[in-house]
Amino acid sequence: MAGIPGLFLLLLLLLCAVGQASPSVAHWKPTWPAYRLPVVLPQSTLHLTKPDFGADAKLEVSSSCGPQCHKGTPLPTYEEVKQYLSYETLYANGSRTETQVGIYVLSGGGAGSSGKSRRKRQIYGYDSRFSIFGKDFLLNYPFSTSVKLSTGCTGTLVAEKHVLTAAHCIHDGKTYVKGTQKLRVGFLKPKFKDGGRGTNTSSSAVPDKMKFQWIRVKRTHVPKGWIKGNANDIGMDYDYALLELKKPHKRKFMKIGVSPPAKQLPGGRIHFSGYDNDRPGNLVYRFCDVKDETYDLLYQQCDAQPGASGSGVYVRMWKRQQQKWERKIIGIFSGHQWVDMNGSPQDFNVAVRITPLKYAQICYWIKGNYMDCREG
């Protein structure tokens, strides 16, 4: 397949769209589309020198390349896509490897502005975020899938031992951030005071304060599209990373899914919860409308602060095969962008979409078997 021109990606997009669920006129439910997914497989692995872990953690990423800028970017060639989806793996002992990948489509599978008016602001008008309190909420799905990284970001449980987050939470595009070699994931748990004997009311156990129970990370995966592209406009498209824990977390997790077009999202909205740093110790939930999209990014104005980056962006849609409603992670909250809209600056918060190719890659990282990654 080497040497296939840039039309490869266009063909791939068309193939992946085959079999999408189309809404019926009567009794329509927002339904998860069925995709014919590509396969992303390792081809070769190279051992690299140990990194220096010298980068400062950045809790948000900014870019001036907005929707029109991204839409005007030429489609990458097959060789470029292979480069972007190749990845680095960092192990707990500090060693790391680089893995080159191949991309295949199998038949018969399953379904910018100037800086003058920039401000440190990710709140749009009235602050519409909700702090989640109480054991009944914090320890229940879907809020229980949100975890905190020791580098300061948020992550989401996507498998028994795996956490999805933003690449910039552990790597600045050049090297790994301080603390990544001893990276931990925190699970929010309430610490209770005994309310006294002889009472059977719900107030007998009163939350004293929230605490985190931490699990060490065994290894991390970061796509080379982020490492190679952070200095240019393509970098934010690949701002995602997967963390594998040293032991299972024993909580319900949220599966990943291919991001449908914005017009197919229920109410055109997305949801995510994170540990915004202006509300320390609190898990903060929000939802908002998608304002624009490219193939790789969702542009929205969900209220958010640094610390929320890495949160899993999810929606709830109808799963036709199982005849039930299901939430899935369709993106990763990345950061903030100032966009030049007809000569005037406008700010957006940006999420990286899980495309068919990214789904195939992340799923393989989790499962280790492409046959388990044929349905998104």
Side-chain angles (χ1 to χ4, degrees):
M1 297 176 68
I4 295 177
L7 289 177
F8 167 83
L9 186 59
L10 181 59
L11 174 61
L12 182 62
L13 304 187
L14 293 173
L15 285 171
C16 291
V18 171
Q20 283 194 36
S22 49
S24 58
V25 176
H27 308 294
W28 178 74
K29 297 176 181 177
T31 303
W32 286 108
Y35 293 91
R36 182 174 296 156
L37 293 172
V39 173
V40 178
L41 287 178
Q43 289 189 327
S44 62
T45 299
L46 173 69
H47 289 274
L48 304 175
T49 59
K50 289 188 177 182
D52 60 7
F53 303 100
D56 293 323
K58 294 182 179 179
L59 301 186
E60 60 179 344
V61 173
S62 296
S63 171
S64 58
C65 182
Q68 297 308 314
C69 169
H70 276 271
K71 290 174 184 176
T73 303
L75 285 174
T77 65
Y78 171 71
E79 292 299 326
E80 287 173 334
V81 173
K82 283 207 307 179
Q83 272 194 332
Y84 299 150
L85 291 177
S86 296
Y87 56 92
E88 267 193 24
T89 301
L90 175 70
Y91 297 88
N93 64 3
S95 64
R96 61 176 175 147
T97 58
E98 177 179 317
T99 302
Q100 301 296 319
V101 302
I103 303 170
Y104 311 94
V105 177
L106 302 184
S107 60
S113 64
S114 64
K116 291 183 179 179
S117 58
R118 295 186 181 183
R119 292 169 286 166
K120 289 280 186 178
R121 182 174 72 88
Q122 289 176 284
I123 304 298
Y124 300 89
Y126 176 74
D127 189 348
S128 59
R129 296 173 298 165
F130 301 87
S131 291
I132 305 300
F133 297 107
K135 183 180 73 169
D136 290 342
F137 290 103
L138 284 169
L139 301 186
N140 286 341
Y141 187 84
F143 304 117
S144 58
T145 64
S146 295
V147 293
K148 186 176 178 67
L149 273 59
S150 54
T151 53
C153 288
T154 299
T156 306
L157 304 177
V158 292
E160 290 86 352
K161 294 175 65 176
H162 292 89
V163 174
L164 188 64
T165 188
H168 74 260
C169 295
I170 61 174
H171 197 290
D172 73 346
K174 297 179 181 178
T175 190
Y176 291 88
V177 304
K178 299 172 184 176
T180 304
Q181 187 174 357
K182 297 182 179 180
L183 186 64
R184 299 179 300 159
V185 170
F187 298 77
L188 195 59
K189 296 183 67 176
K191 183 178 180 181
F192 286 94
K193 288 181 179 178
D194 189 351
R197 294 185 179 182
T199 173
N200 59 1
T201 64
S202 60
S203 61
S204 61
V206 180
D208 177 16
K209 62 179 180 178
M210 305 308 294
K211 65 175 184 177
F212 286 98
Q213 178 182 0
W214 299 90
I215 298 179
R216 287 285 299 273
V217 172
K218 179 181 179 180
R219 60 179 175 178
T220 67
H221 300 299
V222 178
K224 297 293 286 185
W226 169 256
I227 296 173
K228 294 183 177 181
N230 191 40
N232 56 45
D233 297 331
I234 199 68
M236 189 170 263
D237 295 353
Y238 294 89
D239 188 11
Y240 60 92
L242 188 76
L243 320 179
E244 181 181 343
L245 304 177
K246 286 196 170 183
K247 63 180 181 179
H249 51 72
K250 300 180 181 180
R251 288 194 181 190
K252 185 176 180 181
F253 57 85
M254 195 180 303
K255 296 178 181 179
I256 63 171
V258 175
S259 174
K263 63 183 180 181
Q264 292 184 20
L265 302 178
R269 291 182 182 142
I270 57 172
H271 309 250
F272 63 95
S273 302
Y275 292 98
D276 301 51
N277 64 2
D278 66 331
R279 299 188 186 184
N282 289 351
L283 179 64
V284 184
Y285 162 76
R286 74 228 76 198
F287 66 91
C288 67
D289 297 341
V290 174
K291 300 295 185 182
D292 204 344
E293 64 180 326
T294 66
Y295 181 69
D296 286 287
L297 301 174
L298 291 173
Y299 294 84
Q300 32 78 18
Q301 291 183 327
C302 283
D303 292 327
Q305 288 288 318
S309 56
S311 301
V313 172
Y314 65 88
V315 294
R316 180 176 176 265
M317 298 175 70
W318 182 250
K319 189 75 171 175
R320 180 170 293 171
Q321 296 91 326
Q322 284 80 29
Q323 290 291 293
K324 66 176 184 179
W325 294 96
E326 185 175 16
R327 292 179 179 88
K328 289 184 182 181
I329 301 292
I330 63 164
I332 304 94
F333 177 56
S334 178
H336 193 232
Q337 281 193 350
W338 283 89
V339 177
D340 188 355
M341 303 290 286
N342 300 319
S344 61
Q346 185 174 354
D347 54 343
F348 289 96
N349 282 329
V350 184
V352 178
R353 299 177 67 180
I354 298 180
T355 63
L357 281 168
K358 293 172 189 171
Y359 176 91
Q361 180 188 56
I362 297 168
C363 183
Y364 185 86
W365 287 343
I366 296 171
K367 305 283 190 180
N369 180 3
Y370 78 89
M371 293 301 294
D372 295 329
C373 302
R374 301 300 296 134
E375 180 185 345

